[in-house]
Amino acid sequence: MNDTPGWASPGSAPSDGQKPDASGAAEPADRPGPADQPGQAGQAPQDPGSQWSKEQPPPAQWSAPGGQAGPGQAPPPPPPGPGWGTQPPGGPAGHGGYPGPGGPGSYGGWGSGWGGPPPAAKPGVIPLRPLGVGEILDGAVSTMRTYWRTVLGISLTVAVLTEVIVVLFQGLVLDDSSTQALNDPSATLSELSRAMGDAMLNSTVVFVISLVGTVIATALLTTVTSRAVLGKPVTIGEAWRDARPQVVKLFGLICLLLLITAGIVTVGAVPGILVSVAGSTGPGIALTVLGIIGAGIVALWLMIRFSLASPALMLEKQGIKKAMSRSAKLVRGTWWRIFGIQLLATIIANVVASIIVIPFTFLAGALSGDGITGWLNSGVGSLGWTFLIVSGIGAVIGSMITFPITAGVTVLLYIDQRIRREALDLELARAAGLQGHGSTAPGATAGS
């Protein structure tokens, strides 16, 4: 019985052409009975002559109790072949008086198909079946480890280019003296306004540059991860040629999702702002905070719902609207699972990156003109070239870690959802060149 395309339910029905054989295997006619065997079922040995007639049935017409072979005899042959629904007569091994040759509870011999299916085919970094949380995280890390030249080459190239642009902008364009006013209690209103404007400009430009780098890295790493699932390596040039036609669409998708998020948060904050402008400052602030919290929850729900749109756009060569609808369909019914896995992956990636970035930041502060104490006291005002370069090196190393993990987990989640809903494992097996992979193949396992 197939519950979903390509996946069979274990034990739902006997294999085609097989039925449990209640007769067991043939044994020789001179086999002593259970009453004649010492120590069985707590009975004492008895005289064979008192239990057996001189006229015995002809050979090969009866089976020994329990299916056990006598001394010097071969064990009974197993059923015709393994299968999900094939059980030994009377139930599993150890029940109904039919223990396997290994003893009560054994899963060998009689239960060659009853003790569980063999592992699923694994041509690449993941097995071709529904994945657990650990397997998704391990698949992302295995992709980095197995194809480290390509993965780290892409991450390093993108991280270096984006960080160089950020450092040059902060060092040449951003006015360091204007931001000093944020730490000056005696600064005038115009100075504070100018400092806040420069700080917002700095944050916006850095965010846009980082967004472009993230889009390019995600596009290239999506291709690498999809090939890693099949066990096929890919070079940086091949990944770029495959991803290039979709990069502009991917950038548009991410910008659209950001605009949706900003619009929802703005709508949530507007009522409170209007109340504050009307003169009710206290209720207005409270309403603004509640509106932002409620809008944030809605925005988070939508972002998880559309979180698989990026791999759908890249791997299915879809447009922006179609990719968003595909993501919504794949996430439906498993929102909390997708949210939990992506949150866990983000926490792990950022913790690992912080272990590298934070020491570089303190080192940059120590090497700057005022030393680490002056840097801690001055806060945002310390943006010298030494600080920017050293902290930028730490940011590059951190990005080399976060890019592959977050992109890899997203792609593997997309593949996992398609395996669960659309039997993508069959297509992946054919693409990997595996023979006989499917719901009845030895490597198939049940979905969950």
Side-chain angles (χ1 to χ4, degrees):
M1 179 185 299
N2 288 335
D3 295 333
T4 56
W7 296 101
S9 299
S12 59
S15 301
D16 294 338
Q18 296 184 16
K19 294 183 178 180
D21 184 6
S23 64
E27 292 285 347
D30 58 350
R31 171 82 167 108
D36 187 50
Q37 297 178 359
Q40 286 194 4
Q43 297 180 5
Q46 298 183 11
D47 183 11
S50 63
Q51 299 294 329
W52 295 93
S53 171
K54 294 181 179 180
E55 297 180 359
Q56 296 296 323
Q61 291 189 4
W62 66 285
S63 60
Q68 295 181 351
Q73 297 179 1
W84 277 104
T86 305
Q87 303 181 20
H95 298 278
Y98 290 92
S106 172
Y107 287 88
W110 280 104
S112 59
W114 176 248
K122 187 178 178 181
V125 295
I126 59 169
L128 299 185
R129 57 168 172 77
L131 305 174
V133 178
E135 290 172 322
I136 291 175
L137 296 174
D138 180 70
V141 175
S142 297
T143 302
M144 293 177 59
R145 184 175 60 249
T146 305
Y147 306 101
W148 64 270
R149 289 184 178 86
T150 302
V151 171
L152 295 184
I154 291 173
S155 301
L156 178 62
T157 302
V158 174
V160 167
L161 290 177
T162 56
E163 197 60 34
V164 165
I165 297 174
V166 167
V167 168
L168 291 176
F169 170 78
Q170 291 177 329
L172 298 176
V173 179
L174 187 64
D175 187 0
D176 189 23
S177 61
S178 65
T179 57
Q180 297 281 353
L182 296 175
N183 299 317
D184 186 4
S186 61
T188 63
L189 180 61
S190 60
E191 291 175 342
L192 289 174
S193 300
R194 181 183 177 186
M196 291 182 64
D198 289 344
M200 291 183 62
L201 176 63
N202 175 54
S203 300
T204 302
V205 173
V206 170
F207 174 77
V208 171
I209 295 172
S210 301
L211 176 63
V212 174
T214 301
V215 169
I216 296 174
T218 300
L220 297 177
L221 293 173
T222 296
T223 301
V224 175
T225 305
S226 65
R227 299 283 186 91
V229 170
L230 304 177
K232 298 180 179 179
V234 58
T235 64
I236 297 177
E238 292 172 342
W240 172 246
R241 284 193 298 270
D242 188 56
R244 182 175 54 189
Q246 297 294 105
V247 169
V248 175
K249 292 182 181 179
L250 181 61
F251 184 78
L253 171 66
I254 294 178
C255 289
L256 177 60
L257 294 178
L258 291 175
L259 288 175
I260 292 174
T261 302
I264 293 174
V265 174
T266 302
V267 170
V270 164
I273 295 174
L274 294 178
V275 171
S276 298
V277 172
S280 301
T281 305
I285 294 175
L287 184 59
T288 301
V289 173
L290 291 176
I292 291 176
I293 293 175
I297 294 174
V298 175
L300 175 63
W301 181 80
L302 283 176
M303 291 305 101
I304 298 300
R305 183 177 175 86
F306 297 135
S307 61
L308 303 184
S310 172
L313 184 143
M314 295 301 302
L315 299 179
E316 298 180 23
K317 309 302 181 184
Q318 301 282 6
I320 295 176
K321 183 178 179 181
K322 181 63 176 178
M324 294 175 66
S325 65
R326 285 284 292 143
S327 176
K329 178 181 178 181
L330 293 174
V331 173
R332 186 182 300 121
T334 58
W335 188 95
W336 284 106
R337 180 175 182 270
I338 302 295
F339 169 72
I341 294 175
Q342 291 197 334
L343 177 62
L344 178 61
T346 301
I347 291 174
I348 292 174
N350 283 281
V351 167
V352 175
S354 298
I355 294 174
I356 299 172
V357 173
I358 291 177
F360 272 92
T361 303
F362 277 94
L363 178 62
L367 296 176
S368 61
D370 297 331
I372 190 169
T373 304
W375 170 72
L376 290 174
N377 293 331
S378 62
V380 297
S382 235
L383 291 177
W385 283 106
T386 302
F387 179 85
L388 292 174
I389 293 173
V390 176
S391 61
I393 293 173
V396 167
I397 299 175
S399 298
M400 288 176 59
I401 298 173
T402 56
F403 282 161
I405 292 179
T406 54
V409 168
T410 302
V411 175
L412 294 179
L413 269 174
Y414 162 81
I415 293 174
D416 173 59
Q417 289 301 111
R418 287 200 62 189
I419 288 176
R420 292 171 182 269
R421 296 177 181 269
E422 302 171 0
L424 182 65
D425 60 306
L426 304 180
E427 297 296 332
L428 293 175
R430 281 193 284 268
L434 302 180
Q435 301 295 329
H437 180 81
S439 59
T440 59
T445 57
S448 57

